[in-house]
Amino acid sequence: MEWETKLVSPEDEEGFAAAARALADGEVVGMPTETVYGLGADARNPEAVEKIYKAKGRPSDNPLIVHVASKETIPSLVKEITPIAQVLIDAFMPGPITVIMKKSTLVPYCVSAGLDTVGVRFPVHPVAQRLIAMSGVPVAAPSANLSGSPSPTKAGHVMKDMDGRIPYIVDGGECQVGLESTVVDATGNWPQILRPGAVTMEQMEAALDAAGISKPEELKLHEVSPDEAPRAPGMKYRHYAPSCEVKILGDGMHEDFSNYLEYYKQTVMHAILDGRTPVGLFVGEEIAQHLRILFADKEEQILYYIYGGTENVEAASQHLFDGLRTLDEKGAKLIAAPAFPEEGLGLAYMNRLNKAATANIAQVRKRSGKKIMFVCSGNTCRSPLAEAIFRSIFRSTGPHHMIGHPEIEAKVDACSAGAFASGDQPYTPYSVRIAKYEYDEDISGGTSHIAIKERLVSQDLVLCMTDDHSHFLRERFPDLSDRIFSFRELLSDYDIPNVDGEVPDPYGGDYLEYMETAKQLDRIIRALMPEILKHWEME
Ligand code: TXA
Ligand code: MG
């Protein structure tokens, strides 16, 4: 906590002036705009800009947008205003658009992240304009969220992410647009949208057309697909993903009200059946009314966030980030949100919604592979057998998938090691035989490994035959103790009764003794498997 962050109302003359002064003095201030809240600092001052990256917790190789409070400031920031840039400035500024032009030397490379261009934005929000004008500096600002959370659309969101990190947040109420500005590269002879927003391609084309500029022939012939267009560098950064799955309802095409009601109904019913409640609904007023009646007796399993009229894409866009944040914070296990037609503002809405949905899937996919290690003393009898039995049971009870994602296969790699092993000893023949004939697992030719730190760090779970083993490993590797357990400890953690978790060493015994060991391991692993998988969000 470097600062005691002050929330300033625009009516508070003194506080407001102090925030503007802080900006001029090279500090970072939370600032409202019509799109989302920004984290502003003097764009000409590299030390001030550095503080933005620090507050935000994001790498300093993503370019920042420079905000101005008048069109007259723009020429000083750029080397060239192309004819199309001029049209866009005339037609859409002030407003929710960022126009990328070649930068002037006034803009340091820490703002442009080493690029020779700069994104310029003139917000229409009166409080933003007053603050920038009063500070007297061009204001570099990214969205005011911590890296990995959604862009803030209310002062409270900024406070949540930035409390203690910056001196002032100016409260300008809820943002009108709710989605970040359209980012458009205007360095060439036709605009290229790098990020869709409230200013649409249709509107830009109309403005350019009115100014007598039409689409160049080569572009008409060969439509530039979004994949070929230079990408906003920001696209490679981690995007906001709620901690649960985001489900997009419908495809936005030819849908009518009754279809959507049906999608919500199905989603709620499935969520209840699957135990994925509370289910969070980002939903229109009319549909919510129907659902409230339909699911009157299930009130506590449904979280409603009503964005406005069901078909109102402006309202859905304005409240999307707040809706995702709110439902996530309230503990939704699944969030459902409607698709809108991908035209006009719907394009920007779907762009952000798809990102929230796929970022979550990417995270689930990353979690879909786990590693488990079994540990005994010498890694020749018990643990190789446990490894084989685990694999066999996992296979025969599968296929497994990630909870809520039947399309993503769950994988677990099993291995084994010895706490006191000498290494390179062959597995005992009885273990190899039982693995093969009882469990259809070939571990022949395997040799012992020592449970050294390098092997343990990559494991998600290390399961030991006895408490002696787990105590020994935890003592040796205290920083890995969160993943080391004995069978007995885990069985008792999960309150599983009547399964003996201490597995004695059959070493030197006959085949029957090894079979007893195998049966005990079988009982333990079968009992633990569902709990372990659930813990890993697998089923
Ligand atoms: O609505 C908005 O644009 C908000 C408010 C605060 O103005 N700002 C915002 O900033 O969303 P940020 O940093 O979160 O996103 C800016 C996006 C990033 O994807 C960045 O890579 C891209 O714009 N961008 C900025 N300058 C660029 C440049 N010179 N070339 C290409 N992309 C650029
Ligand atoms: Mg951002």
Side-chain angles (χ1 to χ4, degrees), residues 118-343:
V118 62
V120 178
R121 172 151 142 66
F122 177 6
V124 71
H125 198 297
V127 177
Q129 291 186 3
R130 235 176 87 208
L131 186 71
I132 300 166
M134 197 183 261
S135 75
V137 300
V139 175
S143 51
N145 50 293
L146 279 179
S147 203
S149 18
S151 294
T153 54
K154 291 175 171 173
H157 299 160
V158 185
M159 190 53 108
K160 193 148 223 163
D161 282 11
M162 292 297 149
D163 194 12
R165 293 169 173 259
I166 57 177
Y168 296 100
I169 297 168
V170 176
D171 187 348
E174 188 177 9
C175 299
Q176 281 300 305
V177 176
L179 303 176
E180 306 88 342
S181 63
T182 305
V183 176
V184 53
D185 185 333
T187 54
N189 55 2
W190 193 248
Q192 294 211 326
I193 294 188
L194 301 184
R195 180 176 73 185
V199 174
T200 65
M201 195 63 212
E202 293 91 328
Q203 290 170 337
M204 287 191 257
E205 287 205 35
L208 289 159
D209 191 52
I213 302 176
S214 56
K215 201 172 190 174
E217 285 303 322
E218 74 264 20
L219 287 179
K220 271 189 210 154
L221 289 173
H222 174 67
E223 201 62 47
V224 177
S225 81
D227 283 346
E228 292 172 48
R231 289 177 169 268
M235 287 180 181
K236 71 174 189 259
Y237 288 91
R238 191 154 74 92
H239 277 282
Y240 166 63
S243 38
C244 65
E245 183 193 354
V246 175
K247 193 172 170 187
I248 303 175
L249 304 183
D251 61 7
M253 308 277 284
H254 325 291
E255 301 282 6
D256 64 25
F257 175 74
S258 63
N259 284 348
Y260 272 83
L261 177 59
E262 194 55 35
Y263 295 148
Y264 276 99
K265 237 167 75 183
Q266 293 290 336
T267 303
V268 170
M269 288 190 313
H270 278 124
I272 291 173
L273 282 174
D274 296 347
R276 299 174 76 191
T277 58
V279 52
L281 304 181
F282 183 73
V283 63
E285 236 156 56
E286 300 82 357
I287 291 185
Q289 271 170 22
H290 284 261
L291 293 172
R292 283 215 157 97
I293 297 166
L294 274 168
F295 296 105
D297 57 337
K298 301 275 191 302
E299 279 281 301
E300 73 289 352
Q301 303 198 60
I302 307 174
L303 300 165
Y304 291 94
Y305 181 103
I306 296 167
Y307 56 77
T310 297
E311 291 174 35
N312 185 345
V313 70
E314 281 83 16
S317 299
Q318 183 183 13
H319 300 297
L320 178 65
F321 289 149
D322 184 47
L324 293 174
R325 261 189 200 250
T326 306
L327 292 170
D328 203 9
E329 275 165 17
K330 287 188 176 164
K333 299 282 191 312
L334 167 72
I335 295 175
F340 275 91
E342 296 200 28
E343 62 200 22

